[in-house]
Amino acid sequence: MMTLDETLGSVAERVAMAPPTDAEAAAAWSRVQLARHPQRPRTLDLVTRMFSEFTELAGDRLFRDDPALVGGPALLDGRPVMVIGHQKGNDTDSNIARNFGSAHPEGFRKAQRLMRLADKLGMPIVTFLDTAGAYPGPAAEERGQAEAIASSIKLMTGLRVPIVVCIIGEGGSGGALAIGVGDVVIALENAVYSVISPEGCAAILWRSPDEAKVAAAAMRMTAADQVTLGIVDEIVDEPGEGAHTDHDATARALKRAVVAALARAAREEPGELLVTRYARIRSIGAYRETAVDAARHRTEQNLRDRIGRILHLPGIGRRRWSDVWRGAGDDDGEAEGGA
Amino acid sequence: MPIKFPFSRRRSGPSDAWTKCPSCEQQVFNRQLERSQRVCPTCGHHFRMSVGERIDLLLDRDSFEERDAGLESVDPLGFHDDRAYVDRLEAARVKTGLVEAAVWGYGRIDGHRVAIGLFDFRFMGGSMGSVVGEKVARCLEGALVERVPAIVVSASGGARMQEGTLSLLQLAKTTAPLERLDIAGVPFISVLTDPTTGGVLASFASLGDVIVAEPRALIGFAGARVASGTVGEELPEGFQTAEFLRDHGFVDLVVSRGELRATLARLLRVLPVSRAGMTADEADRTRGPIGVISGLAERLGGAVSEGIGIDDREATNGDRPVPPARVRTDR
Ligand SMILES: [Zn+2]
């Protein structure tokens, strides 16, 4: 067996293999608590502060409107964007109405409908992730929860407009990723992102939900960890003790980051946007690769070149996004000025 | 040079032992189970299959050429519950003789060349981490490169927790190539076997152009326990079975194991593979450049001029109505 001396997609330095210490568990858990803080700004709290003329649209045109996921067109410094986000409530009544931000399939299908509209009209998309996960109930299963998430992810990989993803609270598993595939991923300082809830992970691997704190640390779900793993691009600092202490300041800071990200995206050729996005998605993961057979490797060596060709299939990225965004990269001095 | 899959025809467990059918509770002689493609002769219960058994079942004899067998998992998070992740991996390797929970390669079904990925549930519950995601993505890209249909036979509990969000993002990695298959016109057949749940179902497995499932296979987004526990609702009859998904419009065909190979062969006969977007070199090996350009024109209409660069040297060569062309592959 021949080692290629090539670890593709390798990420963070290896850390000592030991269960998280009590201190690590406590630190990770305090982030989870902040991400779930009842007064934390929710999607609509931020959207109304960051954008003007947000016009919420309703329904997936198939079944019903899902209040756990909101979206619609708005203006960002006068330029049109499509805004989509999970929506938690901020008290018991509104949380029940919003299903605690856990969408049914129709929520993700509403998101898809809005994304297609954005693609049609050439509007960049800004998404807000804040969900414990997609709803796992029988009705959601009957209506195809897995299919709804999968379709949404697939759609986002091919949209010809820039997508900026903001993880503002809990980024919970497939329900988060369903609106979380993008060109730039921004996380608020105390946001978390995970493949399963720490309680769920603890129940399965530790056989005790009480070990959720340890599981939270083991899964490395904080925003800073996500930067290390190459999944989040930048972190936006939160004011004071956390975003819940000052919604206005949080919105201002996040807006600056979103405007700058869109300005960068607008400088890129539309065809390149999809190539870059594909490469980004494709590169995430950590593994070791050795050639099992040298002869085979020679014949397959140009697979990467061929993949390059795959990325340039005709028909991809032919449409440009709205003209008002074409020039947006030229004035980011003004844009960086913020809210 | 083709690599022969080393685990083909290897059986797990001694063949003189008995296995109790979880469905009808009859004792089944293991050798009989092998002969009956691991289907209970009494009640028709479909036992899970290893990758090797699945290859024997579906592919033409000795046609499987494994690719990317050298992909191995690492432990990016330093994950440790009551056991270290690296120890769990090693135990799974010893138990199954496999390197990871999935393999992919090229093979033939009734003479049709396909790119095929297969899961083995025995390896950490068929969970999808970075390596499994990479293999599925390369399988789909392999189908695209050769313009052959893609097939993935899933058996997975979902994303692998021990790799955290790196596993979650494999949902995007395995799904992104499907967008390219759509543009290129290459079919993808998803085969769901017991069980296919969680992140695998919430990505490529639910997105087959045609979705085939084995009878009574457990197929669902969340575990049934989670689904009922969360809301305390009564679960509908047959909840999360292959038949339930077919009746709700998410599976095309529920096919018993004895018919699976013939069904895939039939699908491969009726689902054409487009040659659009192939380079001249690739097309020369298959249908020739004229076919490529006319096929492209059909598919893309007015967009052809934008998407295809005409090779200057050849284009000035004459006034043929359909110039030999190559797809521009440079930027
Ligand atoms: Zn039986």
Side-chain angles (χ1 to χ4, degrees), chain B residues 21 23-25 40 42-45:
Chain B
C21 174
S23 181
C24 70
E25 309 203 329
C40 173
T42 308
C43 73
H45 172 78

Side-chain angles (χ1 to χ4, degrees), chain A residues 109-124:
Chain A
R109 291 182 182 128
K110 172 165 69 177
Q112 291 168 39
R113 175 202 149 208
L114 298 179
M115 290 176 200
R116 285 196 193 91
L117 176 58
D119 196 47
K120 165 177 167 172
L121 301 179
M123 303 157 74

Side-chain angles (χ1 to χ4, degrees), chain B residues 154-172:
Chain B
S154 298
S156 171
R160 186 172 293 172
M161 286 175 284
Q162 289 88 347
E163 293 185 26
T165 44
L166 293 177
S167 295
L168 177 63
L169 270 288
Q170 303 309 307
L171 276 65

